[in-house]
């Protein structure tokens, strides 16, 4: 069985094709703003203009008749962007006469991570631009046991990068600068139970830079503080839920320093640490396709009347009928 998935919740436009054993292909055409952050209308315009060419590129490598399921990211995300990919998926579903499956973007990150790492029942740290959450399964639902009280860690990194004159995406640039940081400056460390906050830390880091502290030291200080917070809440969730597996997913999960800190924490707890391949960390169509395949095999199909987008779609809203 082969599934095609379209991802377009924010700046990433991606189509992935998977079967039950492997990722067959991923085609990406991301929106990169000329300056500043992501503007939903401009990102949606980009997706609208590029989706046709992306589909043609995919079908030049995969025969359309071989597709068994068509899927799309139904939410959460930016409404204008979500509507473009939903419309494209509906058209493909009707044209190919294949079932349609709308999936939760966050759950797709988690399930593709489990698929590619072999993690069984982990605590999952999901870190991206718009979301930062500590998630674990209880019964037939995934539950959010802790999350950001304001902005996601990816958004925080991007805000700091823009303040220092660095273009989007800012996360990889902050990571590169941090490797050459030599001095740590204390920043607000805000953890409340298993919830956390980054906006105050961003403001404090921006002020450090404005005072003349080097980009390298600001980046280093920011990463060390933010990632320590994420490691703390992940460990607390593992202790509370008595789990010995931690899965890291989401675009910020590609950061080598974050992986290193989480690996050390897991080693100290005699726990196993997992992270999927880098190409599956950021937003991509393959994760949408895989979750849709999993859902379809367990009886999920999205009727056209139910295929409206859900910008605030929560992972807790999805019934999970698979192991």
């Amino acid at each position: 069985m082969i599934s095609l998935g379209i991802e377009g919740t924010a700046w990433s436009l991606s189509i992935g094709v998977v079967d039950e054993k492997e990722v067959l292909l991923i085609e990406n055409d991301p929106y990169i703003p000329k300056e500043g952050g992501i503007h939903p209308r401009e990102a949606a315009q980009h997706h609208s203009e590029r989706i046709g060419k992306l589909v043609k590129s995919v079908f030049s490598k995969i025969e359309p008749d071989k597709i068994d399921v068509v899927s799309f990211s139904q939410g959460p995300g930016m409404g204008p962007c979500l509507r473009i990919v939903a419309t494209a998926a509906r058209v493909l579903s009707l044209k190919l006469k294949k079932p349609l499956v709308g999936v939760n973007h966050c759950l797709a990150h988690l399930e593709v991570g489990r698929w590619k790492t072999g993690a069984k029942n982990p605590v999952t740290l999901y870190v991206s631009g718009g979301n930062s959450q500590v998630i674990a399964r209880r019964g037939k639902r995934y539950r959010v046991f802790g999350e950001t009280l304001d902005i996601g860690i990816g958004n925080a990194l991007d805000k700091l990068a823009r303040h220092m004159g660095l273009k989007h995406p800012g996360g990889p640039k902050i990571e590169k600068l941090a490797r050459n940081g030599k001095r740590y400056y204390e920043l607000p460390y805000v953890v409340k139970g298993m919830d956390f906050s980054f906006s105050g830390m961003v403001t404090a880091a921006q002020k450090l830079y404005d005072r003349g502290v080097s980009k390298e030291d600001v980046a280093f200080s920011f990463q060390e503080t933010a990632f320590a917070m994420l490691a703390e809440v992940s460990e607390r969730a593992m202790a509370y839920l008595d789990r010995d597996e931690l899965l890291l997913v989401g675009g910020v999960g590609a950061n080598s320093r974050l992986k290193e800190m989480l690996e050390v924490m897991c080693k100290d707890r005699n726990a196993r640490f997992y992270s999927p391949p880098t190409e599956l960390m950021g937003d991509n169509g393959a994760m949408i396709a895989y979750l849709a395949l999993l859902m379809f095999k367990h009886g999920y199909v999205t009727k056209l009347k139910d295929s409206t987008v859900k910008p605030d779609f929560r992972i807790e809203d999805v019934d999970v009928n698979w192991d």
Side-chain angles (χ1 to χ4, degrees):
M1 186 174 288
I2 296 178
S3 173
L4 179 148
I6 309 177
E7 159 60 25
T9 54
W11 65 286
S12 295
L13 177 64
S14 176
I15 298 178
V17 180
V18 308
D19 61 19
E20 296 174 73
K21 294 183 178 180
E22 62 183 339
V23 175
L24 301 178
L25 68 81
I26 302 175
E27 294 275 344
N28 300 317
D29 190 346
Y31 157 71
I32 305 295
K34 293 180 180 179
E35 59 182 7
I38 303 169
H39 191 293
R41 179 180 55 78
E42 292 178 0
Q45 183 65 32
H46 166 274
H47 295 355
S48 177
E49 293 172 353
R50 304 296 181 86
I51 187 67
K53 292 181 180 179
L54 207 57
V55 170
K56 287 181 180 179
S57 177
V58 168
F59 285 156
S60 70
K61 299 164 187 172
I62 299 284
E63 292 181 24
D65 290 343
K66 291 186 176 180
I67 303 298
D68 297 297
V69 181
V70 174
S71 59
F72 67 102
S73 48
Q74 198 165 8
M78 296 178 176
C81 299
L82 291 170
R83 285 190 282 274
I84 298 299
V85 297
T87 300
R90 292 186 201 106
V91 170
L92 283 177
S93 173
L94 291 169
K95 187 174 181 60
L96 299 177
K97 298 181 181 178
K98 302 296 182 180
L100 180 69
V101 179
V103 309
N104 180 283
H105 173 91
C106 307
L107 185 55
H109 273 294
L110 194 157
E111 290 296 353
V112 82
R114 288 183 63 218
W115 181 41
K116 282 302 177 182
T117 64
K120 301 299 182 184
N121 191 22
V123 167
T124 298
L125 177 61
Y126 169 44
V127 283
S128 68
N131 291 281
S132 294
Q133 298 176 322
V134 180
I135 303 165
R137 183 167 172 175
R138 277 279 182 91
K140 295 295 185 181
R141 297 280 177 109
Y142 280 101
R143 311 290 181 179
V144 175
F145 287 88
E147 62 186 315
T148 179
L149 298 172
D150 40 44
I151 58 176
I153 180 60
N155 192 347
L157 289 164
D158 286 341
K159 283 179 178 289
L160 177 60
R162 286 198 300 272
H163 188 79
M164 296 194 295
L166 306 173
K167 290 186 176 181
H168 180 87
K173 297 176 179 66
I174 293 293
E175 179 182 7
K176 186 176 180 180
L177 286 169
R179 294 193 189 110
N180 296 314
K182 295 181 174 59
R183 179 178 174 185
Y184 174 79
Y185 290 83
E186 187 172 349
L187 293 170
Y189 187 102
V190 184
V191 172
K192 299 180 179 180
M194 283 188 281
D195 293 328
F196 39 92
S197 170
F198 295 117
S199 59
M201 188 191 309
V202 172
T203 300
Q206 291 172 340
K207 289 180 178 178
L208 281 179
Y209 176 72
D210 292 343
R211 274 173 32 201
V213 175
S214 71
K215 291 180 180 179
E216 290 80 5
D217 286 347
V218 172
F220 171 70
S221 301
F222 189 89
Q223 279 199 170
E224 292 301 299
T225 306
F227 295 167
M229 289 164 52
L230 293 171
E232 178 185 336
V233 295
S234 299
E235 183 174 20
R236 184 171 292 119
M238 293 172 73
Y240 173 70
L241 295 165
D242 194 24
R243 303 283 173 89
D244 61 0
E245 295 178 309
L246 178 67
L247 173 64
L248 175 65
V249 300
V252 182
N255 186 291
S256 59
R257 179 55 179 154
L258 177 57
K259 289 181 183 177
E260 180 183 24
M261 293 174 74
L262 295 173
E263 284 177 326
V264 170
M265 181 271 286
C266 286
K267 184 177 180 180
D268 289 344
R269 292 186 58 82
N270 293 316
R272 294 180 294 279
F273 173 72
Y274 299 99
S275 63
T278 301
E279 64 268 21
L280 296 177
M281 279 287 199
D283 297 346
N284 65 88
M287 70 183 198
I288 304 301
Y290 174 71
L291 177 56
L293 188 60
L294 191 61
M295 293 173 69
F296 182 70
K297 288 171 61 179
H298 289 83
Y300 293 82
V301 174
T302 303
K303 297 179 181 179
L304 285 178
K305 67 182 180 65
D306 298 323
S307 65
T308 54
V309 301
K310 303 175 182 179
D312 299 317
F313 199 4
R314 296 278 296 186
I315 195 171
E316 304 101 313
D317 296 335
V318 183
D319 285 322
V320 179
N321 294 325
W322 54 87
D323 294 330

